[in-house]
Amino acid sequence: ANDVLAIINIKIDNEIAKSYEKALNFIINLLNKGFPCSYSIEFSSKSKKEFLNIEELVKSSTHRFFRRILDFPELYNKLEIYAKTAMKKFEFYRDIEDEDDEDKRALSGSYAVFGLALYDEKYFPLLEEYYLKLNDKYQLVHQYFIKAFIDRYGVNQKSLPLILKGFLSGQFDIIFGNLAELVKNEKNKKLLIKELENYSENEKEIILYSIWGEKWKKMIN
């Protein structure tokens, strides 16, 4: 680990869970001892180069490392510990090579949070904690995670609050048409209207615009 360059080098020779657990423990220990929370990982492995199935995420070595760990369910609890250690306000992975891709930067811990939240509802509290670490002016890339989250869980009493909180966690440029399609269902629409009671008028407008764009006033009546 080079704390001056904020780079962690990881080479895996034996593709087993224990190897990745050792790597995670190493990173967690570094962060707890003051290693820069804005860092990148140089990852070397014979495993297939795979990434989270979320559009627009940077296909970096850092991203690939955390995607590989998701192949080992026995490490999910350790991965959650890592995420809680890594995610801090204004601390981002340094895996953006092109300055033009700055809008794709991700809060440290993002890849772990995204993967776990899409895997199982038990990690919904982790996602809620993640949202609290975000500043809506400094990150946009999680809008694509929210889109994937909607596709994964649809609309229900557990998923909808996290979807709406996600809408309020960034100044996004997209309309979530996949949610608009789901709330054509009368049951889902009633659930949305009920959930909106928990938000201020300004927050409601942001949420409704995120679903229907300029047509939101007509659609909610």
Side-chain angles (χ1 to χ4, degrees):
N2 186 317
D3 59 349
V4 176
L5 299 177
I7 295 175
I8 300 172
N9 288 279
I10 297 172
K11 181 179 180 182
I12 301 291
D13 291 320
N14 194 2
E15 295 291 331
I16 60 173
K18 272 290 182 185
S19 301
Y20 287 91
E21 182 177 24
K22 184 176 181 180
L24 273 178
N25 284 334
F26 179 70
I27 297 170
I28 292 168
N29 186 49
L30 280 174
L31 295 176
N32 282 331
K33 290 186 175 180
F35 190 84
C37 290
S38 292
Y39 67 95
S40 63
I41 294 173
E42 291 295 332
F43 175 48
S44 174
S45 164
K46 293 179 181 178
S47 64
K48 185 178 178 181
K49 288 189 177 181
E50 293 184 305
F51 303 92
L52 292 170
N53 188 25
I54 301 173
E55 60 181 285
E56 298 298 328
L57 290 189
V58 174
K59 292 183 177 180
S60 66
S61 187
T62 308
H63 180 180
R64 181 190 169 206
F65 171 73
F66 290 108
R67 165 59 187 85
R68 175 61 175 140
I69 291 177
L70 291 169
D71 291 330
F72 303 99
E74 61 267 46
L75 297 183
Y76 285 8
N77 289 340
K78 180 59 64 70
L79 191 58
E80 181 180 23
I81 292 170
Y82 157 76
K84 289 184 175 183
T85 306
M87 55 187 188
K88 291 179 170 42
K89 279 193 175 183
F90 311 116
E91 301 286 359
F92 302 91
Y93 285 129
R94 299 178 63 179
D95 59 350
I96 304 294
E97 294 183 4
D98 190 334
E99 288 184 6
D100 292 337
D101 288 336
E102 195 174 59
D103 60 343
K104 296 181 181 180
R105 66 180 176 178
L107 192 82
S108 295
S110 290
Y111 304 128
V113 174
F114 293 168
L116 291 172
L118 290 174
Y119 173 73
D120 195 283
E121 292 181 5
K122 70 179 283 189
Y123 298 106
F124 281 10
L126 176 66
L127 177 58
E128 190 162 10
E129 185 178 340
Y130 174 80
Y131 284 152
L132 293 174
K133 303 290 184 181
L134 297 175
N135 183 298
D136 65 359
K137 295 180 182 178
Y138 292 94
Q139 182 176 307
L140 292 174
V141 74
H142 63 291
Q143 63 187 317
Y144 302 103
F145 160 76
I146 296 169
K147 184 179 177 183
F149 186 86
I150 294 168
D151 288 338
R152 167 71 173 86
Y153 293 105
V155 174
N156 59 57
Q157 290 183 335
K158 290 183 178 180
S159 66
L160 187 58
L162 284 169
I163 293 169
L164 303 192
K165 287 176 182 177
F167 290 170
L168 297 172
S169 68
Q171 297 180 10
F172 303 142
D173 297 322
I174 65 173
I175 305 301
F176 294 85
N178 55 345
L179 182 57
E181 191 64 30
L182 288 170
V183 294
K184 287 180 179 179
N185 177 288
E186 195 60 31
K187 180 181 176 182
N188 289 342
K189 190 172 183 179
K190 286 180 180 178
L191 195 60
L192 171 64
I193 292 170
K194 180 67 176 175
E195 187 63 30
L196 286 172
E197 295 175 2
N198 298 317
Y199 297 92
S200 69
E201 289 303 313
N202 182 58
E203 289 172 333
K204 287 178 186 177
E205 289 191 15
I206 293 171
I207 289 168
L208 294 172
Y209 184 88
S210 297
I211 303 172
W212 289 295
E214 298 288 352
K215 301 177 182 177
W216 71 264
K217 290 183 180 179
K218 186 197 306 184
M219 300 304 295
I220 200 63
N221 293 326

